[in-house]
Amino acid sequence: MMPHKKALDVFKARNETLPDCVVYHLSTRGLFAELNDLARAVIYACDNDLQLLIDSSRFAYRIEQGWEDWFEPFCRNASEVDPERIKVRFEFHPQSPDRMAVRQLQVFHTRELQLGDIKLTGFSEILDFCQKMIFIPNAFVRNEFERCIASSSLPVDYYAIHVRRGDKIGDEDLYYPAEMYLQALPELEDGDTIFVMSDEFDSIAEVEYALARRGKKCWVRSLVLEQDKGFDVNLLREGQQFMASESSQRSVVGKEYLEESTLRFLTEMCIASQAVSIVGTQRSFVGKALKALSRHPNSVQLLGFEQARDFTSSKLAPQRHILDAYKGVYMIRIGHYGAGFFAYVQYALNQIQYCERREFLPVVHYDSAHANHFYDRVAGEDVWDYYFEPVAGYTKADIDRMLADPNDPLTDKHIQQLSDAQIMDLCQFDPDSIFHYTYGYWRDNPPADPDAWYAAMRRKGHRYVAGYIKVKEPILAEVDALVDHHFKGHRVLGVHIRGTDMRYAPPVPLERFIEAMDRKLDQGFDRVFVATDQGQYIDILEQRYQDRLIHLDCLRSTDASNPMWLANRSPAQQGREVLVDTLLLSRCAFMLKCPSAVSEFAHYFWPMLKSLDLNHHRTEFNGQDYAVAGLGYGDYPNAWDVVGEKSVNSIGSPGRQSWVTPVVEYQS
């Protein structure tokens, strides 16, 4: 008999004899979040000599019975027991901010568990064992699993990956490109089979594309349906179709949909758990369950933040030519005069989107053209190479070598690029592009829900940053060292204050930032990291917050001139300072911000970052209407001229604790 089945028999026999009870209430969360916490309830019951009961009355996946609709019973239902015997209840309350901490602390001390002659040590081992012990699909699920295996042509040995998308990305986890999953598998050979679990149909195409880039002819098998657009637990709680196309997600979920989708999900889990090697993600309960249920737990790899940090898009497999995988090469250029650092990165992301749609290989080359303020002949001819790895493995030098080789099939006719005007149109007026603020198309067509618009832009921005943007290792190492030195052991508030020449959105007076910073410090933050282009702001904040203030020795302006126009520091170093500031903002516990590419890219680098934008809902300031149609720059005054200088002159004593009257009328 398998150890977990033997242990379950011991648990069931012992459980039924205990007089006092603990109830676990199945709730409206994801199915494997429930399995994880039900296993914790098993541990709690064993630790405290309580009989475990289940209440399925609010179970989101209930068809008729609840737990027993899908699994074999292993304990009694709470309705069968006298309520007087119930001493503890485990209930999930979605609106309770401390629901996770309370639930985990109740069992986290457990380091040893004895079930008959089976002794388990270490909390992770105990939790995994208990998940496997209670995960016993009933005959309904087992029959579907066997039917799928018989009809799927799966070989005896196959690989499995779980690609989680939907509401997990941004709220709880990073976007992991399909290539990362393949890199975590053993070396693939032609003819291998990969079973793909996912909540999003597009993930299948991502995996197939990544395999094609590697030159591998592998079989891809999946039960994912074309209408699957990502799991959303909020839709599940609302009783709607929680994993379907947008056009049908608002419909009330019926038992038929719930039964079909849940059965398919559990069948996927049964199939994936039998694979010889599995790749999932650390922050997904499905990934954790796959590790617990796997026949080969030592061959399960769960992707996390470290793997994401180190991921770099590679060149095609040696036997693959560019023209085997792409229709041509697209050279990404700046196409815009005098833009800021992250505007250039944003232009690259939007042109990468253009490449994906047309199956071109994206190659970034930013030279001295278009008044590039970060071009530094000493540092090299390609500004992109100062800071980032090639977006798809290839540099302009690689392409030039291929073009110069008379035996290479790549010729000038395969090289594509847009004109300056076309690049501007793509980045400013294509609604499918990534925008850090409502300019261009969105100035003419304001989004009905700005919060939802920003959330969508951040998800898309993060997806492309995660898939294509790899910061150079020396810069990442510098950021890690700064975090260790300044952030470690502290709850750090990040603040990005745009001053100088900002004029595309209503400026935020320094007083407003200080008010918000003071509130956050009262709420438990004990350090403030400030990134700003205005030198006077640092002077004032240093006097006010003293050793609680963290800032870098960056080039800053003392008037309305953008620092990139100043000649006090090398252009390449100026760009590096902006990038390091942004990466540090992304590592803060919370961020106060204004509309800016810098603070939006902090979200793109770290999508779980929470922030408060002090003015993205405002369109008027000091008699100026900032919502006039067009690009969004107009004849508006610079931030320093309209609020900065007045704020600095009016604050007086930086130790003042409150601001009775704002310097300039600030209109919502």
Side-chain angles (χ1 to χ4, degrees):
M1 182 181 291
M2 297 291 288
H4 62 278
K5 293 182 179 178
K6 183 178 180 181
L8 181 60
D9 288 342
V10 172
F11 172 82
K12 289 166 66 175
R14 176 179 179 273
N15 192 56
E16 292 175 359
T17 66
L18 298 171
D20 294 335
C21 303
V22 53
V23 178
Y24 182 83
H25 294 263
L26 293 162
S27 68
T28 57
R29 295 177 304 139
L31 185 55
F32 285 92
E34 291 291 353
L35 178 71
N36 181 278
D37 282 351
L38 184 52
R40 290 173 182 271
V42 169
I43 299 169
Y44 182 87
C46 291
D47 273 352
N48 293 277
D49 291 327
L50 294 170
Q51 181 179 164
L52 179 63
L53 309 173
I54 288 180
D55 182 341
S56 295
S57 60
R58 296 195 299 272
F59 190 29
Y61 300 90
R62 179 188 179 100
I63 303 298
E64 294 178 356
Q65 298 171 286
W67 178 260
E68 293 176 38
D69 288 327
W70 312 108
F71 304 100
E72 296 291 345
F74 68 94
C75 64
R76 299 167 70 187
N77 194 290
S79 62
E80 302 173 18
V81 174
D82 183 351
E84 293 295 322
R85 293 174 56 191
I86 298 172
K87 306 304 179 184
V88 182
R89 292 181 182 273
F90 282 87
E91 296 187 76
F92 176 79
H93 300 286
Q95 305 307 317
S96 173
D98 62 347
R99 61 189 185 272
M100 297 295 289
V102 171
R103 189 174 64 247
Q104 291 175 353
L105 285 173
Q106 288 173 315
V107 296
F108 196 73
H109 66 276
T110 302
R111 289 292 180 269
E112 185 174 300
L113 182 64
Q114 187 90 33
L115 290 169
D117 58 1
I118 298 172
K119 184 176 182 179
L120 305 168
T121 57
F123 182 73
S124 294
E125 179 188 354
I126 294 170
L127 183 61
D128 285 353
F129 186 91
C130 288
Q131 286 193 68
K132 190 167 187 175
M133 183 177 76
I134 63 177
F135 184 86
I136 308 174
N138 62 19
F140 178 53
V141 177
R142 290 198 306 271
N143 290 340
E144 179 64 11
F145 164 63
E146 291 167 3
R147 186 193 67 78
C148 286
I149 287 290
S151 62
S152 66
S153 303
L154 279 171
V156 174
D157 293 334
Y158 55 91
Y159 302 117
I161 61 176
H162 173 241
V163 182
R164 180 69 160 89
R165 296 288 190 250
D167 60 354
K168 181 69 76 173
I169 308 304
D171 286 343
E172 298 179 42
D173 207 353
L174 304 177
Y175 174 96
Y176 300 100
E179 177 64 24
M180 284 186 64
Y181 291 88
L182 299 186
Q183 288 180 5
L185 287 172
E187 186 65 30
L188 294 169
E189 302 290 342
D190 288 349
D192 283 343
T193 297
I194 303 173
F195 179 75
V196 180
M197 280 187 70
S198 185
D199 56 346
E200 188 173 276
F201 182 74
D202 290 347
S203 299
I204 307 302
E206 288 183 41
V207 172
E208 291 174 339
Y209 175 73
L211 286 168
R213 290 191 86 250
R214 286 173 154 236
K216 296 299 182 183
K217 298 178 180 178
C218 297
W219 297 100
V220 177
R221 298 285 184 261
S222 182
L223 302 183
V224 182
L225 301 180
E226 188 173 354
Q227 66 262 30
D228 291 345
K229 301 298 181 183
F231 177 79
D232 187 333
V233 72
N234 290 319
L235 293 175
L236 174 69
R237 288 177 183 145
E238 294 167 8
Q240 297 178 10
Q241 293 192 14
F242 47 84
M243 201 166 66
S245 63
E246 292 181 4
S247 61
S248 63
Q249 277 186 338
R250 295 186 181 279
S251 62
V252 176
V253 61
K255 284 191 176 182
E256 182 179 349
Y257 170 83
L258 181 63
E259 185 173 78
E260 290 178 356
S261 58
T262 307
L263 180 60
R264 176 162 57 95
F265 186 26
L266 289 171
T267 302
E268 287 180 310
M269 284 295 294
C270 293
I271 294 173
S273 67
Q274 303 301 304
V276 295
S277 183
I278 304 170
V279 180
T281 54
Q282 292 176 6
R283 295 179 71 86
S284 166
F285 284 108
V286 174
K288 295 173 183 177
L290 283 171
K291 189 173 191 309
L293 302 176
S294 173
R295 291 191 305 163
H296 310 281
N298 292 331
S299 67
V300 178
Q301 299 292 322
L302 298 182
L303 303 177
F305 302 148
E306 289 300 316
Q307 290 88 345
R309 178 194 185 279
D310 296 336
F311 173 72
T312 303
S313 184
S314 59
K315 291 183 178 180
L316 296 173
Q319 71 273 22
R320 296 279 283 172
H321 189 273
I322 286 173
L323 297 180
D324 293 333
Y326 300 96
K327 292 180 178 178
V329 176
Y330 177 89
M331 301 303 300
I332 294 177
R333 305 181 304 110
I334 292 173
H336 181 37
Y337 286 86
F341 183 85
F342 276 105
Y344 288 158
V345 182
Q346 187 170 342
Y347 272 46
L349 296 184
N350 285 325
Q351 291 177 79
I352 289 170
Q353 279 198 96
Y354 176 87
C355 291
E356 282 191 345
R357 291 194 291 262
R358 289 159 180 80
E359 299 180 46
F360 292 147
L361 171 72
V363 178
V364 182
H365 182 68
Y366 284 174
D367 55 21
S368 60
H370 300 88
N372 186 340
H373 294 290
F374 306 100
Y375 174 77
D376 189 337
R377 191 176 299 278
V378 175
E381 289 300 312
D382 186 356
V383 173
W384 190 265
D385 187 57
Y386 304 169
Y387 314 107
F388 307 107
E389 300 293 346
V391 296
Y394 292 84
T395 65
K396 182 176 183 296
D398 294 324
I399 303 304
D400 288 344
R401 280 192 293 271
M402 296 174 72
L403 292 173
D405 183 352
N407 297 317
D408 196 292
L410 189 72
T411 66
D412 288 336
K413 71 178 183 181
H414 297 115
I415 309 302
Q416 306 288 326
Q417 62 182 23
L418 296 178
S419 67
D420 290 354
Q422 289 172 320
I423 293 173
M424 286 290 287
D425 188 66
L426 172 71
C427 296
Q428 304 274 11
F429 293 102
D430 185 340
D432 290 331
S433 288
I434 298 165
F435 291 77
H436 74 269
Y437 186 64
T438 50
Y439 55 84
Y441 174 88
W442 296 105
R443 185 61 57 92
D444 299 344
N445 306 273
D449 185 342
D451 289 328
W453 183 87
Y454 268 93
M457 287 297 164
R458 288 168 185 170
R459 282 193 298 271
K460 184 182 290 187
H462 170 63
R463 178 253 197 257
Y464 280 91
V465 165
Y468 291 96
I469 306 299
K470 171 63 165 70
V471 178
K472 293 272 187 173
E473 187 56 39
I475 298 175
L476 290 176
E478 177 185 348
V479 171
D480 287 342
L482 289 167
V483 168
D484 285 343
H485 182 69
H486 294 290
F487 290 19
K488 198 169 184 178
H490 298 288
R491 194 175 182 214
V492 182
L493 172 67
V495 182
H496 179 236
I497 311 174
R498 184 75 163 85
T500 67
D501 65 344
M502 173 189 168
R503 58 190 177 92
Y504 51 81
V508 182
L510 180 59
E511 295 93 323
R512 291 306 183 209
F513 274 102
I514 292 177
E515 288 173 350
M517 292 159 70
D518 286 350
R519 284 195 297 271
K520 286 296 180 183
L521 287 168
D522 288 342
Q523 294 169 8
F525 290 88
D526 63 338
R527 293 290 187 275
V528 180
F529 170 70
V530 174
T532 182
D533 52 358
Q534 199 74 60
Q536 294 94 326
Y537 292 172
I538 293 295
D539 296 337
I540 288 174
L541 296 174
E542 275 189 320
Q543 293 179 64
R544 185 177 184 84
Y545 298 112
Q546 300 180 20
D547 60 358
R548 291 183 294 176
L549 187 76
I550 305 165
H551 65 88
L552 301 185
D553 180 20
C554 298
L555 181 64
R556 297 184 176 90
S557 177
T558 57
D559 54 28
S561 300
N562 192 298
M564 68 184 181
W565 293 94
L566 306 179
N568 306 52
R569 202 160 295 188
S570 79
Q573 178 61 23
Q574 289 185 41
R576 185 181 181 118
E577 290 172 356
V578 176
L579 177 56
V580 170
D581 260 355
T582 304
L583 291 170
L584 286 172
L585 285 170
S586 77
R587 303 283 287 271
C588 293
F590 191 87
M591 178 173 63
L592 299 173
K593 65 184 289 294
C594 57
S596 167
V598 166
S599 48
E600 285 305 302
F601 266 86
H603 280 289
Y604 300 169
F605 282 116
W606 191 254
M608 286 82 76
L609 177 66
K610 303 301 180 185
S611 70
L612 173 64
D613 191 319
L614 296 185
N615 78 343
H616 81 246
H617 287 298
R618 296 178 170 90
T619 59
E620 294 185 6
F621 178 79
N622 205 31
Q624 292 276 354
D625 181 4
Y626 284 77
V628 175
L631 269 179
Y633 301 104
D635 297 322
Y636 306 127
N638 293 320
W640 171 253
D641 295 330
V642 72
V643 299
E645 188 172 13
K646 294 177 182 178
S647 292
V648 169
N649 292 334
S650 301
I651 285 176
S653 170
R656 212 160 122 200
Q657 292 303 305
S658 62
W659 310 103
V660 178
T661 306
V663 175
V664 182
E665 180 185 358
Y666 198 56
Q667 184 174 356
S668 297

